[in-house]
Amino acid sequence: MVMVVAVLAVSALAMAKDAQEVGPLTIHGVLSATEARALGETVQVNIRNYMYTDEEIVVPVGTTVVWLQQDSDQHNVRFFAGSDNGLEEDHSGPMLRVNQRWAVTFNEVGTYDYMCDPHPFMVGTVRVVAAD
Ligand code: CO
């Protein structure tokens, strides 16, 4: 039992160290299921059959979204810089293999449109609204 707790603590530390601030986004990177759980409450978007489901989500500011990649082909998430968000340039996430998770916290209100780099027909939107 003590060993399990120690391993989880190390894993959480490694995750915090690897997180990257990109303008209004905190990019947590590619996470295991355990690391994703350590983020607390999150909203999940599945990548399956060359689609993001749900294609558009509306979340309060501060929400962490986890993309779970479920196709045998690889996909990613590229956010577009735009007048409706605080990104100064596009941000392209890593290609995800099947069962990999990629997590991002949205720290500012805005509209974050995204697509998959190798499959431009795969598009999605995260609309971040003020918390109640
Ligand atoms: Co794709």
Side-chain angles (χ1 to χ4, degrees):
M1 193 59 188
V2 170
M3 276 302 282
V4 171
V5 170
V7 167
L8 287 175
V10 168
S11 156
L13 272 176
M15 182 182 62
K17 191 177 61 184
D18 292 343
Q20 176 192 7
E21 303 295 327
V22 178
L25 309 178
T26 302
I27 311 285
H28 300 278
V30 179
L31 304 181
S32 68
T34 300
E35 289 167 333
R37 270 196 300 277
L39 294 174
E41 190 177 342
T42 59
V43 172
Q44 182 168 308
V45 174
N46 296 310
I47 307 175
R48 186 189 288 175
N49 296 329
Y50 294 82
M51 289 185 294
Y52 303 103
T53 57
D54 295 314
E55 190 169 301
E56 177 169 352
I57 59 173
V58 181
V59 298
V61 68
T63 297
T64 300
V65 178
V66 176
W67 281 265
L68 172 58
Q69 211 292 86
Q70 299 177 301
D71 274 342
S72 53
D73 202 354
Q74 295 187 26
H75 304 288
N76 77 338
V77 172
R78 167 190 285 267
F79 292 112
F80 296 110
S83 57
D84 288 347
N85 63 51
L87 286 170
E88 292 184 356
E89 54 187 31
D90 290 5
H91 182 82
S92 193
M95 297 303 298
L96 302 173
R97 294 188 299 276
V98 64
N99 291 331
Q100 287 191 316
R101 290 165 178 77
W102 192 63
V104 176
T105 302
F106 293 83
N107 301 307
E108 292 178 15
V109 167
T111 302
Y112 300 82
D113 293 323
Y114 63 90
M115 64 167 239
C116 176
D117 276 313
H119 311 112
F121 56 88
M122 293 177 63
V123 294
T125 300
V126 179
R127 275 213 301 130
V128 180
V129 299
D132 292 334

